[in-house]
């Protein structure tokens, strides 16, 4: 089955997100657990949750992807920012247990001058504090573009984090096509070589979701500016190869292109055409 979805607004609750997801032709979706710039999450509405779970089952919405706020930085130099990040993640993980089997994606963080190794240690330390054996949520490290002191621009860095985590079966990776292309992985001309490398360094069994984006910038630019599908440096042909690739095709694909819902609807129908 082709698992495809857009980014929907969480402001009106879960049922509303589910309805938006279906309206644009998707069978999964991604949402921010709280304001992307951080802060307090809305109180959970149990009635809304129950209604969502029923709707999701009836409409065939599969595994969904929750995205942590951008401000969450588990490897900040500033201890109060690290603590704040852990509190947000702890709260997000507790809430997500109401939707069993959800994926929770976060940006590993920026080490801001402390060096990659210190950053990796902080991130793994935080995960070791937060992960619980009984949780049903899988926590995903997102592949990054390697902008500034961002961790996760190289597959090796993600592997190093996972290696230091005790509950490794709670961890996975989300591959962002804009980010890795900007990070210098040539998924346009050499997709299979990049997937071989991912498999060798991280293990494809750890890959749980794909953020499907075109990029405004050329390969290796380390910029991280998403573009609408077919209007950037990846182009539609490469995107078609990605969604049809044998090693990727069963994963959920989530759009993060600069669009409103109608734009996502157009991209999803275009992708369904491209899907073999
Ligand atoms: Fe992201
Ligand atoms: Fe992304
Ligand atoms: Zn991005």
């Amino acid at each position: 089955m082709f698992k495809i979805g857009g980014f929907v607004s969480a402001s009106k609750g879960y049922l509303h997100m589910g309805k938006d997801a279906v309206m644009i032709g998707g069978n999964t979706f991604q949402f921010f657990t709280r304001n992307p710039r951080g802060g307090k999450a809305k109180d959970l509405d149990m009635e809304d949750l129950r209604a969502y779970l029923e709707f999701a089952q009836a409409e065939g919405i599969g595994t969904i992807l929750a995205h942590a706020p951008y401000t969450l930085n588990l490897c900040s130099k500033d201890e109060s920012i690290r603590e704040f990040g852990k509190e947000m993640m702890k709260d997000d993980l507790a809430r997500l247990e109401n939707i069993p089997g959800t994926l929770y994606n976060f940006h590993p963080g920026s080490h801001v001058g402390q060096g990659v190794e210190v950053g990796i240690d902080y991130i793994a330390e935080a995960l070791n504090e937060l992960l619980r054996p009984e949780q049903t949520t899988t926590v995903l490290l997102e592949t990054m573009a390697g902008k500034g002191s961002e961790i996760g621009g190289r597959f090796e860095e993600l592997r190093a984090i996972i290696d230091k985590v005790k509950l490794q079966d709670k961890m996975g990776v989300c591959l962002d096509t804009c980010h890795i292309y900007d990070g210098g992985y040539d998924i346009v001309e050499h997709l299979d070589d990049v997937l071989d490398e991912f498999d060798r360094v991280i293990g494809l069994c750890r890959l749980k979701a794909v953020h499907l984006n075109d990029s405004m910038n050329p390969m290796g630019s380390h910029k991280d500016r998403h573009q609408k599908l077919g209007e950037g440096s990846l182009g539609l042909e490469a995107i078609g190869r990605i969604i049809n690739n044998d090693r990727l095709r069963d994963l959920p694909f989530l759009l993060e292109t600069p669009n409103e819902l109608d734009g996502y609807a157009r991209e999803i129908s275009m992708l369904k055409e491209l899907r073999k």
Side-chain angles (χ1 to χ4, degrees), residues 18-46:
K19 287 186 171 169
D20 278 350
V22 169
M23 184 181 71
I24 61 178
N27 50 18
T28 178
F29 61 91
Q30 183 172 210
F31 65 103
F32 278 117
T33 54
R34 60 190 72 216
N35 185 306
R37 273 161 270 114
K40 208 181 167 307
K42 281 205 321 183
D43 284 335
L44 270 183
D45 175 348
M46 288 305 181

Side-chain angles (χ1 to χ4, degrees), residues 176 179 224 226:
D176 186 308
H179 295 177
D224 188 2
H226 302 188

Side-chain angles (χ1 to χ4, degrees), residues 30 67 105 107 142-143 174 176 179 211 213 226 256:
Q30 183 172 210
H67 197 304
N105 173 77
H107 296 179
E142 182 167 354
T143 59
C174 175
D176 186 308
H179 295 177
H211 284 168
N213 303 307
H226 302 188
E256 301 180 313

Side-chain angles (χ1 to χ4, degrees), residues 62-73:
T63 306
I64 56 172
L65 185 54
H67 197 304
Y70 294 137
T71 45
L72 186 141
N73 186 4

